[in-house]
Amino acid sequence: MVRKAVGAGGAGTGRTAVKGARRPEVRLPPLRPWAERDLEADGDYDGLEFLEADLSGQRGAGARFMDCALTNCAVDETALGRARFLDSVLTGLRGVGTRLAEAVFRDVELSAPRLGGVQLHGATLERVVVRGGKLDFLNLREARLKDVVFESCVLVEPDFAGSRLERVEFVDCALKGADFGNAVLKDVDLRGAAPLEVQRGLDRLSGAVISTGQLLDLAPLLAAELGIRVEG
């Protein structure tokens, strides 16, 4: 595997108000097909391709996936708490209720997911790109996100409550009903979120940058948050 972190910002981009996330470039080695039927708790998976595998209901808590590709796999109710995904590419994952509490994602590309109710509370995401697809009711409570990009995807009621977000970007992304309660934001770029809907935690957006248009859209909520009456 050869990987290079690439900065999203740069001179002449017009995006100097906030530090850009460092994106991963994951180049996988030649992969061997995964030949087992079931995941193992604390299993060690290195250089494997999981192709159209049905992992629904399986238990792989604490497993390590290194230089792996998971493609078009079903992950309904799959238990992967404290699992580690390193230098890997996850494409077309689908499922509901996947359990990934306290998991680690480092140098990972997640493309075209169709997931609902994923439990990522307490997880660590570093140099991660989520590209395309739809994530409903994503639970990232108390998680740590650093150098993370959400690109061309739809996030419905994501829960960032109590999380720490640093150098996180939303690019051509729909952010609906987000919860930022008690979150800590630093260099978070929300300008590419359309729509940008925040149902809780407006007072925690001091470390974010938004566009003028988004400010106008949020103005009624901000006024209500501050107790300002707007008349006339």
Side-chain angles (χ1 to χ4, degrees):
M1 186 284 302
V2 179
R3 174 189 51 77
K4 179 176 66 175
V6 180
T13 64
R15 301 176 71 86
T16 57
V18 60
K19 293 180 180 178
R22 295 182 298 161
R23 297 178 179 232
E25 283 190 359
V26 182
R27 299 187 180 97
L28 296 174
L31 302 177
R32 308 183 314 278
W34 181 58
E36 305 298 325
R37 292 178 57 88
D38 300 309
L39 295 174
E40 295 182 2
D42 299 314
D44 198 355
Y45 304 102
D46 195 339
L48 295 176
E49 181 180 31
F50 296 74
L51 180 60
E52 299 181 351
D54 186 356
L55 306 177
S56 300
Q58 296 198 27
R59 298 179 179 273
R64 184 185 74 108
F65 299 84
M66 176 77 177
D67 289 336
C68 287
L70 280 71
T71 305
N72 297 332
C73 295
V75 290
D76 294 277
E77 301 290 343
T78 307
L80 290 165
R82 300 184 310 283
R84 291 171 291 162
F85 294 84
L86 312 172
D87 303 297
S88 294
V89 177
L90 317 178
T91 304
L93 298 187
R94 64 191 187 279
V96 176
T98 311
R99 289 173 277 171
L100 286 158
E102 300 181 12
V104 173
F105 291 79
R106 184 170 292 117
D107 298 304
V108 168
E109 297 177 3
L110 173 61
S111 298
R114 302 290 295 185
L115 299 169
V118 175
Q119 300 299 311
L120 274 164
H121 49 277
T124 298
L125 284 70
E126 186 170 355
R127 293 187 300 277
V128 172
V129 173
V130 180
R131 184 180 296 109
K134 185 179 181 185
L135 296 162
D136 294 320
F137 311 110
L138 179 63
N139 183 352
L140 281 162
R141 280 180 168 260
E142 306 291 339
R144 179 177 177 270
L145 289 76
K146 186 175 183 180
D147 294 311
V148 175
V149 179
F150 295 96
E151 181 176 277
S152 302
C153 58
V154 177
L155 302 175
V156 178
E157 296 191 25
D159 190 348
F160 297 100
S163 294
R164 300 182 67 88
L165 290 77
E166 181 177 355
R167 295 196 298 272
V168 175
E169 298 180 29
F170 296 84
V171 181
D172 296 326
C173 184
L175 192 57
K176 302 180 179 182
D179 185 347
F180 288 102
N182 295 318
V184 177
L185 279 60
K186 180 180 180 182
D187 292 315
V188 174
D189 195 340
L190 292 165
R191 289 175 291 180
L196 171 59
E197 299 174 1
V198 180
Q199 67 175 358
R200 182 170 172 263
L202 281 170
D203 59 326
R204 310 300 297 189
L205 298 185
S206 60
V209 59
I210 61 175
S211 69
T212 301
Q214 289 171 324
L215 176 60
L216 294 175
D217 291 339
L218 291 174
L221 294 174
L222 289 168
E225 184 79 20
L226 295 172
I228 299 173
R229 294 175 59 187
V230 180
E231 300 180 357

